[in-house]
Amino acid sequence: MKSMGMWLARLLSALALVAGGVVFCAGGAQAATVCGDRPVPPGQVITSETLTASCTGGYLTETVQPPYDGIQVCGNSPVPTGYVFTSLYTTNSCGPYQTGRLNTVRNGIRMCGNYNGSIPNGYVITNEGPDGTCAQWYGETINAAYNGIQMCGNSPIPSGYVITANFQNSGCGIYQGERINTVYDGIAFCGNSPVPPGYVITANSQVNSCGMYLGGRLNLPYNGITTCANSPVPNGWWVSADGLQTPACAPYMAETLKNQ
């Protein structure tokens, strides 16, 4: 009797889950349905959407589930951290949207540019151009950043890196090529680079490797340091004197920073 009771309890539990729009998929993945006017649960993706009586107001019924490498999803699906779209095509599974494939990020993967929420942290675009697997979007090859890597000018710059050269790169389509290096005290950088937090600009100069951009030098600040007026002021520091003239900062004026 005990085993029969346990079986009935499990059956009732399973029926309740199905009635609530929850289905167990192969491999233990759990799928559910939500109406298109509701947010997709965090970390899940849309695998299909259709017009049903379950969702009123003309909203589509969306099937959602946790992702896995190679999963087919709808083009309007959120992209969970660690995944990118690697192809786009048309099916009858996603209503008015394209269908695509999500894969886990790895070094050298070819993703569909402009269709992903963002380039994963720590990765840069090293090549891009027309790609038949990405429909109307460019394909982009991404690689994990390292000191001295050459990337495309539309790539994000990972934290702790600065641009040290600009050049023409046919592998980057309409964008120029850039070289990035890990920042250190005294590094020469190009003016189209962000200045990492905690660093200041102490010199401006014309540098051939920077192309049309002004070059410069970055340093870690010390009390009383002279910086250029185009430099950010780090948190906890203030300008104690400005309007100073120094050849190192031309065409900008110079400032003195203090923190005590």
Side-chain angles (χ1 to χ4, degrees), residues 105-132:
V105 175
R106 60 182 182 273
N107 211 39
I109 196 171
R110 188 77 169 176
M111 59 178 274
C112 295
N114 306 323
Y115 212 87
N116 293 276
S118 63
I119 305 298
N121 288 336
Y123 282 79
V124 296
I125 302 169
T126 55
N127 180 275
E128 74 169 79
D131 193 321

Short mmCIF file of all heavy atoms in Angstrom, two decimals, residues 105-132:
data_model
loop_
_atom_site.label_atom_id
_atom_site.label_comp_id
_atom_site.label_asym_id
_atom_site.label_seq_id
_atom_site.Cartn_x
_atom_site.Cartn_y
_atom_site.Cartn_z
N VAL A 105 30.33 30.09 -25.21
CA VAL A 105 31.48 30.86 -25.68
C VAL A 105 32.75 30.05 -25.52
O VAL A 105 32.97 29.38 -24.52
CB VAL A 105 31.59 32.18 -24.88
CG1 VAL A 105 32.84 32.94 -25.27
CG2 VAL A 105 30.37 33.04 -25.12
N ARG A 106 33.60 30.13 -26.56
CA ARG A 106 34.92 29.50 -26.50
C ARG A 106 35.86 30.33 -27.37
O ARG A 106 35.42 31.13 -28.20
CB ARG A 106 34.88 28.06 -27.00
CG ARG A 106 34.41 27.91 -28.43
CD ARG A 106 34.34 26.45 -28.86
NE ARG A 106 33.93 26.32 -30.25
CZ ARG A 106 32.68 26.28 -30.65
NH1 ARG A 106 31.70 26.37 -29.75
NH2 ARG A 106 32.38 26.17 -31.93
N ASN A 107 37.12 30.17 -27.18
CA ASN A 107 38.11 30.93 -27.92
C ASN A 107 38.01 30.63 -29.41
O ASN A 107 37.99 29.48 -29.83
CB ASN A 107 39.52 30.58 -27.43
CG ASN A 107 40.48 31.72 -27.55
OD1 ASN A 107 40.13 32.87 -27.31
ND2 ASN A 107 41.71 31.44 -27.93
N GLY A 108 37.90 31.70 -30.23
CA GLY A 108 37.84 31.54 -31.68
C GLY A 108 36.46 31.27 -32.23
O GLY A 108 36.32 31.03 -33.44
N ILE A 109 35.41 31.34 -31.42
CA ILE A 109 34.06 31.06 -31.91
C ILE A 109 33.61 32.17 -32.86
O ILE A 109 33.98 33.33 -32.72
CB ILE A 109 33.07 30.92 -30.73
CG1 ILE A 109 31.77 30.26 -31.19
CG2 ILE A 109 32.79 32.26 -30.07
CD1 ILE A 109 30.83 29.87 -30.06
N ARG A 110 32.82 31.80 -33.86
CA ARG A 110 32.25 32.75 -34.82
C ARG A 110 30.81 33.01 -34.40
O ARG A 110 29.97 32.11 -34.40
CB ARG A 110 32.30 32.17 -36.23
CG ARG A 110 31.89 33.14 -37.35
CD ARG A 110 32.99 34.12 -37.66
NE ARG A 110 32.70 34.88 -38.89
CZ ARG A 110 33.48 35.86 -39.34
NH1 ARG A 110 34.58 36.19 -38.66
NH2 ARG A 110 33.19 36.50 -40.45
N MET A 111 30.50 34.24 -34.02
CA MET A 111 29.18 34.60 -33.56
C MET A 111 28.53 35.59 -34.52
O MET A 111 29.19 36.15 -35.38
CB MET A 111 29.25 35.21 -32.16
CG MET A 111 30.12 36.45 -32.07
SD MET A 111 30.16 37.19 -30.43
CE MET A 111 28.71 38.23 -30.54
N CYS A 112 27.23 35.75 -34.38
CA CYS A 112 26.50 36.71 -35.22
C CYS A 112 26.54 38.08 -34.56
O CYS A 112 25.95 38.27 -33.50
CB CYS A 112 25.06 36.24 -35.44
SG CYS A 112 24.96 34.69 -36.37
N GLY A 113 27.24 39.01 -35.18
CA GLY A 113 27.37 40.34 -34.61
C GLY A 113 26.07 41.12 -34.69
O GLY A 113 25.21 40.83 -35.52
N ASN A 114 25.91 42.08 -33.82
CA ASN A 114 24.74 42.97 -33.78
C ASN A 114 23.47 42.25 -33.35
O ASN A 114 22.43 42.88 -33.22
CB ASN A 114 24.49 43.65 -35.13
CG ASN A 114 25.70 44.38 -35.67
OD1 ASN A 114 26.44 44.98 -34.90
ND2 ASN A 114 25.91 44.33 -36.96
N TYR A 115 23.52 40.95 -33.16
CA TYR A 115 22.33 40.22 -32.74
C TYR A 115 22.46 39.74 -31.30
O TYR A 115 21.51 39.28 -30.71
CB TYR A 115 22.06 39.03 -33.66
CG TYR A 115 20.59 38.72 -33.81
CD1 TYR A 115 19.84 39.37 -34.79
CD2 TYR A 115 19.95 37.83 -32.97
CE1 TYR A 115 18.48 39.11 -34.93
CE2 TYR A 115 18.60 37.57 -33.11
CZ TYR A 115 17.87 38.21 -34.08
OH TYR A 115 16.52 37.95 -34.21
N ASN A 116 23.66 39.82 -30.77
CA ASN A 116 23.89 39.40 -29.40
C ASN A 116 23.83 40.61 -28.48
O ASN A 116 24.15 41.73 -28.87
CB ASN A 116 25.26 38.73 -29.28
CG ASN A 116 25.30 37.42 -30.05
OD1 ASN A 116 24.89 36.39 -29.55
ND2 ASN A 116 25.77 37.48 -31.29
N GLY A 117 23.44 40.37 -27.24
CA GLY A 117 23.36 41.47 -26.30
C GLY A 117 24.69 42.16 -26.10
O GLY A 117 24.78 43.38 -26.04
N SER A 118 25.76 41.41 -26.02
CA SER A 118 27.08 42.00 -25.83
C SER A 118 28.14 40.94 -26.06
O SER A 118 27.86 39.74 -26.04
CB SER A 118 27.22 42.56 -24.41
OG SER A 118 27.10 41.52 -23.44
N ILE A 119 29.37 41.41 -26.27
CA ILE A 119 30.50 40.48 -26.35
C ILE A 119 30.80 40.02 -24.92
O ILE A 119 30.84 40.84 -24.00
CB ILE A 119 31.74 41.19 -26.94
CG1 ILE A 119 31.41 41.82 -28.30
CG2 ILE A 119 32.90 40.21 -27.08
CD1 ILE A 119 31.00 40.85 -29.36
N PRO A 120 31.00 38.74 -24.70
CA PRO A 120 31.27 38.27 -23.33
C PRO A 120 32.48 38.96 -22.71
O PRO A 120 33.43 39.32 -23.41
CB PRO A 120 31.52 36.76 -23.52
CG PRO A 120 30.80 36.42 -24.79
CD PRO A 120 30.93 37.62 -25.67
N ASN A 121 32.44 39.17 -21.41
CA ASN A 121 33.53 39.81 -20.70
C ASN A 121 34.85 39.08 -20.96
O ASN A 121 34.91 37.85 -20.92
CB ASN A 121 33.26 39.83 -19.19
CG ASN A 121 32.16 40.82 -18.82
OD1 ASN A 121 31.91 41.76 -19.55
ND2 ASN A 121 31.52 40.59 -17.69
N GLY A 122 35.89 39.88 -21.23
CA GLY A 122 37.21 39.30 -21.43
C GLY A 122 37.48 38.87 -22.85
O GLY A 122 38.58 38.40 -23.15
N TYR A 123 36.50 39.03 -23.76
CA TYR A 123 36.67 38.65 -25.17
C TYR A 123 36.69 39.90 -26.05
O TYR A 123 36.09 40.93 -25.71
CB TYR A 123 35.54 37.73 -25.63
CG TYR A 123 35.71 36.30 -25.18
CD1 TYR A 123 35.37 35.93 -23.88
CD2 TYR A 123 36.21 35.32 -26.04
CE1 TYR A 123 35.53 34.61 -23.45
CE2 TYR A 123 36.37 34.01 -25.61
CZ TYR A 123 36.03 33.67 -24.32
OH TYR A 123 36.19 32.37 -23.90
N VAL A 124 37.37 39.80 -27.19
CA VAL A 124 37.41 40.89 -28.16
C VAL A 124 37.14 40.35 -29.56
O VAL A 124 37.32 39.15 -29.82
CB VAL A 124 38.79 41.61 -28.14
CG1 VAL A 124 39.03 42.28 -26.79
CG2 VAL A 124 39.93 40.64 -28.46
N ILE A 125 36.70 41.24 -30.46
CA ILE A 125 36.45 40.87 -31.85
C ILE A 125 37.76 40.93 -32.62
O ILE A 125 38.40 41.98 -32.67
CB ILE A 125 35.43 41.82 -32.50
CG1 ILE A 125 34.11 41.82 -31.71
CG2 ILE A 125 35.17 41.42 -33.96
CD1 ILE A 125 33.16 42.93 -32.12
N THR A 126 38.16 39.83 -33.23
CA THR A 126 39.42 39.80 -33.97
C THR A 126 39.22 39.72 -35.48
O THR A 126 40.17 39.88 -36.24
CB THR A 126 40.28 38.62 -33.51
OG1 THR A 126 39.53 37.40 -33.64
CG2 THR A 126 40.70 38.79 -32.05
N ASN A 127 37.98 39.48 -35.92
CA ASN A 127 37.69 39.42 -37.35
C ASN A 127 36.20 39.56 -37.54
O ASN A 127 35.41 39.08 -36.72
CB ASN A 127 38.17 38.09 -37.94
CG ASN A 127 37.89 37.98 -39.43
OD1 ASN A 127 36.81 37.60 -39.85
ND2 ASN A 127 38.89 38.31 -40.24
N GLU A 128 35.78 40.24 -38.62
CA GLU A 128 34.36 40.30 -38.92
C GLU A 128 34.11 40.58 -40.39
O GLU A 128 34.96 41.15 -41.08
CB GLU A 128 33.67 41.32 -38.04
CG GLU A 128 33.89 42.76 -38.35
CD GLU A 128 32.88 43.58 -37.54
OE1 GLU A 128 33.12 43.79 -36.34
OE2 GLU A 128 31.86 43.97 -38.11
N GLY A 129 32.93 40.16 -40.83
CA GLY A 129 32.57 40.35 -42.23
C GLY A 129 31.29 39.61 -42.55
O GLY A 129 30.72 38.92 -41.70
N PRO A 130 30.79 39.75 -43.79
CA PRO A 130 29.57 39.06 -44.18
C PRO A 130 29.68 37.55 -43.94
O PRO A 130 30.75 36.95 -44.16
CB PRO A 130 29.46 39.37 -45.68
CG PRO A 130 30.22 40.65 -45.85
CD PRO A 130 31.35 40.56 -44.88
N ASP A 131 28.60 36.98 -43.47
CA ASP A 131 28.62 35.55 -43.11
C ASP A 131 27.25 34.96 -43.39
O ASP A 131 26.26 35.36 -42.79
CB ASP A 131 28.98 35.41 -41.63
CG ASP A 131 29.33 33.99 -41.24
OD1 ASP A 131 28.66 33.06 -41.74
OD2 ASP A 131 30.26 33.79 -40.44
N GLY A 132 27.18 34.00 -44.30
CA GLY A 132 25.91 33.41 -44.70
C GLY A 132 25.16 32.75 -43.57
O GLY A 132 23.93 32.64 -43.62
#
